[in-house]
Amino acid sequence: MSLTAPIAAIGRQTLAFMALIGRAAIFASQGLSHIVRPPFYGREFLVALLQIGWLSLPVVGLTAFFTGGALALQIYDGGARFSAEAVVPQIVAIGMVRELGPVLVGLMIAARVTSSIAAEIATMKVTEQIDALVTLSTHPMKYLTAPRVLAALIVVPLLVGIGDIIGIFGGFVVGTGQLGFNAATYIKNTADFLQFTDILSSLAKGCVFGGIAAMMGCYFGMNSGRGAQGVGQATKGSVQAAAVLILAANFLLTSLFFSS
């Protein structure tokens, strides 16, 4: 075995990864361009709105509520070491709105929606339904990708906003019911502490995360292998890529909004 073999293997993996990024970037640019060009498929868009938005509300709501409650308990316990228990409302609000709300919603969408989109489109490819669309002079990017990405760009920020509210409410329930906070004071401290920049950053993150989740599902579905194994690999790869990209985008957006 050559001494350079491990280095060569690392190099091949690196080149393959960079090629994947390039193909995904080209795919994303093409998908976004199809959003603003006719024809538009309204029915597919409305179905995507329902699947991505309305059907994701239960998991988003439950995740946000329990996270807000757990955050309140953690902050109260940590603040007690420095006699700073009173900061629970403020830290729960800023933690949920700036960071936990958008990231958790993005990851839930990646787990639920990205996997669903990838599996659906990959199955269509395996069963040659995408070839049938081409035969009928229907562009697959226009019919399959553009409606889903547009729906995610619109509805995921709304889910993030709802998740932020429910998460803060979870902290409120725990704070007033278990930690002894006054309800009116808790609400006032929460409202006084949040700024417009916090809310704007949360919604902007939701828009970016939604686009990433839908785009990765479409990309891996369109480029899946044949057979059941190809569908499974596309589904797994789409969720992994979406989760990593969401966390990376979160870091970049946080740096952009709050670097000062």
Side-chain angles (χ1 to χ4, degrees):
M1 179 179 179
S2 174
L3 294 177
T4 61
I7 299 176
I10 294 174
R12 286 193 297 270
Q13 294 296 325
T14 302
L15 290 175
F17 178 71
M18 297 302 295
L20 174 62
I21 292 177
R23 290 193 298 269
I26 294 173
F27 182 90
S29 64
Q30 293 175 346
L32 292 174
S33 68
H34 281 290
I35 290 177
V36 297
R37 289 185 294 165
F40 304 104
Y41 295 95
R43 182 180 179 277
E44 293 298 314
F45 171 70
L46 293 177
V47 170
L49 277 180
L50 176 65
Q51 293 178 342
I52 298 173
W54 178 255
L55 297 181
S56 297
L57 271 176
V59 66
V60 167
L62 289 172
T63 301
F65 180 84
F66 289 119
T67 300
L71 186 61
L73 291 173
Q74 291 279 14
I75 294 170
Y76 186 85
D77 180 70
R81 304 176 187 179
F82 308 99
S83 300
E85 301 94 329
V87 300
V88 168
Q90 294 93 325
I91 303 303
V92 167
I94 197 171
M96 287 300 305
V97 173
R98 281 192 179 188
E99 194 69 21
L100 289 176
V103 171
L104 288 174
V105 171
L107 293 178
M108 289 299 103
I109 293 298
R112 183 187 178 277
V113 175
T114 304
S115 59
S116 174
I117 291 175
E120 180 182 2
I121 295 179
T123 302
M124 292 180 67
K125 182 177 180 180
V126 169
T127 56
E128 300 183 349
Q129 294 180 54
I130 294 180
D131 295 335
L133 288 176
V134 176
T135 303
L136 295 172
S137 300
T138 301
H139 200 299
M141 291 284 288
K142 176 70 68 176
Y143 186 80
L144 298 175
T145 300
R148 289 167 172 79
V149 173
L150 179 59
L153 290 173
I154 293 173
V155 79
V156 174
L158 299 179
L159 289 174
V160 169
I162 294 172
D164 292 344
I165 294 171
I166 295 176
I168 293 173
F169 177 71
F172 170 82
V173 170
V174 172
T176 56
Q178 187 172 345
L179 304 178
F181 283 86
N182 178 268
T185 303
Y186 192 104
I187 294 173
K188 184 178 185 303
N189 289 339
T190 299
D192 290 345
F193 193 73
L194 284 176
Q195 298 179 352
F196 176 74
T197 306
D198 301 328
I199 299 172
L200 177 63
S201 69
S202 185
L203 299 181
K205 286 182 178 183
C207 184
V208 174
F209 297 168
I212 290 173
M215 195 68 74
M216 288 300 98
C218 293
Y219 172 77
F220 279 88
M222 290 280 196
N223 294 277
S224 68
R226 297 291 181 178
Q229 185 178 7
V231 175
Q233 289 176 345
T235 304
K236 179 179 67 176
S238 67
V239 174
Q240 291 174 343
V244 171
L245 288 175
I246 284 171
L247 294 175
N250 177 64
F251 172 76
L252 294 176
L253 291 172
T254 300
S255 301
L256 176 65
F257 279 103
F258 305 110
S259 59
S260 59

